[in-house]
Amino acid sequence: MLTLTHRYRIYPSAVQEHQFIEWMEICRGAYNYALREIKDWCLGRKCLVDRCSLEKEYILPADLKFPGEVYQLNNLPEAKKSFPKLGEVPSQVLQQAIKQLHVGWKYFQRIGFGFPRFKKFGQFKSLLFPQFKKNPVTNLHLNLPKIGAIPINLHRPIPIGFAVKQVRILRKADRWYASISLQCDVSIPDPTPHGHPIGVDVGLEKFLVTSDGVQSKPPKFFKSLQSELKLLQRRLARLQRRSKNYEKQRLKVARLHHKIDNTRKDFHFKQAHALCDGGDMVFMEDLDYRTSAKGMFGKHMLDASFGQFRTIVKYVCWKRGKFFSEVDARGTSQLCPECGGEVKKDLSVRVHDCPHCGYKTDRDIAAGQNIRNRGIELISTLGHSGTQTACADDLPGTGKNQSRQVSKPRKGVTRKSKM
Ligand SMILES: [Zn+2]
């Protein structure tokens, strides 16, 4: 099963826009009500059974069942009788709001932190239409239940053989988007390691440096627009909350944030494609960039948003049939890529000069080469056990041959294109 998500801009009319916003508010209400039920149940378990309700507020019957997902979903039709407004929203969309809460709740149960929170006015920003009987997308319009046709900018066609499974309506600043999940009934094997390897080191001084010596400048989207944002935000802070002027100003700030976000994402995609043009295997560090975002260069780390970049590289590699893997990040800048000896240097030293073997290169390129070496090590150990089990599991002679057939022609193509 192959699933892709495409995001298209949609242009709802003023009436439709109003209706969307109202639906979001109704869904938010249902979400908050369901969360209140869960919270009451939890608090009810905390208080002692023999105390009266004056001392402890939440006394619920001890044998009351936990308000689970199915229970709350089954309660919706009943609730619609007492709150007719709930009936305005398509029922499946409303159900998704409850399901969304329980996704959050299960996550909290598994991880142990992140109790779901109440959503304030305007914090419910999307609606999910989970099922369609027939294709809702035509060339010019998106057809949704209870709201009708919305003009859509189908800037790229829906690929042949794919069916529309879900549509999520999103609001970003004053723009509306539809995230369309597409599914196709084919199974595609994950890309196998092959061809030219690239190690990628990311950093603030240069956005990325590869083991081949390719460098790209740091973009600093946020920094360039920060003064503008500062001005807008200061104006916003001086306005009466919830007034008309406040709302106008708030939109300006939101639009600027949206613009920064878009330019950054565009840059990341272009860089990722450039990496895939240069090689067949991409390796990156498995760093958790959130810790460094708390440090002195926090703002710049967040501006570059390396975490998002890695996710995008992973996706682009998958889409273009290139192999992607993360490698251990420890000490990549302190080792010599040629002889493996340790070369201690602090951040101010920009040149790698090995006293053991005399290898001299840029500091970041050395780090990239270390990452590449680790990646090759990783796949040589992984690949060994991988092919063996594949052979043992599958029908004899199918698994191994197929992977070879796939990887060989690709090698030829990339070599030709380079010439
Ligand atoms: Zn060396």
Side-chain angles (χ1 to χ4, degrees):
M1 194 67 79
L2 188 63
T3 313
L4 292 174
T5 310
H6 287 183
R7 196 165 86 174
Y8 299 98
R9 179 129 184 233
I10 52 171
Y11 302 87
S13 67
V15 181
Q16 287 169 331
E17 205 170 325
H18 184 74
Q19 206 166 356
F20 274 143
I21 292 169
E22 198 158 307
W23 286 1
M24 283 175 188
E25 275 304 289
I26 294 168
C27 284
R28 183 176 74 94
Y31 177 98
N32 283 346
Y33 186 92
L35 178 57
R36 183 74 261 167
E37 271 189 346
I38 292 180
K39 276 197 158 181
D40 279 350
W41 188 88
C42 292
L43 290 169
R45 303 302 103 179
K46 276 183 190 165
C47 87
L48 299 168
V49 193
D50 58 337
R51 303 296 149 91
C52 77
S53 59
L54 280 176
E55 195 174 323
K56 286 270 182 184
E57 201 181 341
Y58 301 99
I59 288 210
L60 299 171
D63 55 347
L64 189 79
K65 266 175 78 182
F66 175 72
E69 188 175 346
V70 179
Y71 167 81
Q72 288 186 331
L73 286 175
N74 288 342
N75 271 359
L76 280 178
E78 195 60 37
K80 272 180 199 168
K81 282 176 196 158
S82 22
F83 302 100
K85 260 205 168 246
L86 288 175
E88 286 175 19
V89 188
S91 52
Q92 286 190 324
V93 176
L94 191 62
Q95 283 170 7
Q96 285 302 321
I98 305 287
K99 284 185 181 170
Q100 190 185 329
L101 168 68
H102 283 274
V103 169
W105 173 255
K106 274 169 200 153
Y107 181 79
F108 164 66
Q109 293 283 300
R110 202 174 66 241
I111 304 289
F113 55 86
F115 200 101
R117 293 187 190 191
F118 290 120
K119 286 194 187 290
K120 287 182 195 166
F121 172 78
Q123 280 187 343
F124 208 95
K125 287 174 188 162
S126 72
L127 295 167
L128 180 64
F129 294 78
Q131 244 181 6
F132 290 96
K133 276 193 188 119
K134 58 174 194 198
N135 186 10
V137 184
T138 60
N139 270 339
L140 296 171
H141 291 100
L142 174 68
N143 290 302
L144 292 176
K146 285 199 180 184
I147 206 155
I150 305 164
I152 185 170
N153 177 8
L154 219 58
H155 63 274
R156 60 171 146 178
I158 288 179
I160 297 159
F162 280 81
V164 175
K165 285 286 161 189
Q166 295 185 332
V167 173
R168 187 182 279 282
I169 303 294
L170 283 169
R171 180 159 71 139
K172 298 238 170 186
D174 54 345
R175 294 182 176 186
W176 292 85
Y177 295 94
S179 272
I180 302 183
S181 298
L182 304 160
Q183 240 172 32
C184 183
D185 251 339
V186 289
S187 63
I188 289 174
D190 286 334
T192 45
H194 65 279
H196 181 66
I198 298 183
V200 184
D201 184 46
V202 292
L204 289 176
E205 198 176 320
K206 289 151 197 150
F207 180 74
L208 62 83
V209 177
T210 70
S211 51
D212 299 340
V214 181
Q215 305 181 355
S216 76
K217 271 187 199 163
K220 299 201 174 150
F221 316 99
F222 186 75
K223 209 184 159 199
S224 55
L225 289 168
Q226 197 188 9
S227 51
E228 199 180 324
L229 190 68
K230 208 168 155 187
L231 185 76
L232 289 180
Q233 274 173 335
R234 192 163 54 218
R235 278 188 199 147
L236 180 70
R238 287 175 186 164
L239 290 167
Q240 176 79 39
R241 285 208 116 201
R242 293 241 181 161
S243 67
K244 263 195 178 161
N245 283 329
Y246 180 88
E247 193 55 26
K248 276 185 217 161
Q249 191 63 32
R250 192 190 64 78
L251 257 182
K252 279 184 193 166
V253 175
R255 250 184 244 141
L256 189 60
H257 272 299
H258 188 47
K259 183 182 168 187
I260 296 171
D261 185 33
N262 277 343
T263 31
R264 183 189 291 136
K265 216 179 233 171
D266 175 61
F267 174 78
H268 283 169
F269 267 101
K270 279 176 185 158
Q271 292 296 324
H273 276 285
L275 283 181
C276 285
D277 288 339
D280 304 306
M281 293 190 278
V282 180
F283 299 106
M284 285 180 85
E285 292 168 297
D286 62 348
L287 279 177
D288 185 356
Y289 297 108
R290 280 176 301 179
T291 40
S292 37
K294 284 171 188 155
M296 190 164 66
F297 295 106
K299 189 159 64 182
H300 305 285
M301 288 298 290
L302 289 172
D303 186 15
S305 107
F306 295 122
Q308 178 187 296
F309 178 59
R310 194 170 52 195
T311 318
I312 286 175
V313 170
K314 206 171 174 178
Y315 170 75
V316 170
C317 284
W318 170 79
K319 218 176 165 191
R320 293 183 55 174
K322 315 269 175 170
F323 183 78
F324 175 87
S325 182
E326 287 170 20
V327 299
D328 188 10
R330 267 171 297 171
T332 43
S333 58
Q334 310 295 335
L335 293 176
C336 173
E338 286 292 308
C339 65
E342 195 178 7
V343 188
K344 282 263 177 209
K345 46 188 180 289
D346 54 27
L347 262 176
S348 59
V349 184
R350 303 313 305 175
V351 180
H352 170 85
D353 192 355
C354 181
H356 311 292
C357 67
Y359 182 63
K360 198 170 174 182
T361 181
D362 187 89
R363 171 204 173 92
D364 296 313
I365 296 177
Q369 283 167 345
N370 272 322
I371 293 168
R372 180 195 61 192
N373 295 348
R374 281 190 190 176
I376 294 169
E377 233 172 78
L378 189 78
I379 55 165
S380 61
T381 49
L382 264 186
H384 222 67
S385 57
T387 44
Q388 270 179 352
T389 48
C391 255
D393 285 347
D394 284 325
L395 285 171
T398 50
K400 208 170 182 180
N401 283 343
Q402 264 175 358
S403 67
R404 268 188 195 159
Q405 273 170 358
V406 173
S407 60
K408 264 188 182 168
R410 237 188 242 136
K411 261 187 190 172
V413 170
T414 43
R415 270 185 199 159
K416 263 175 208 162
S417 63
K418 261 179 206 165
M419 283 156 68

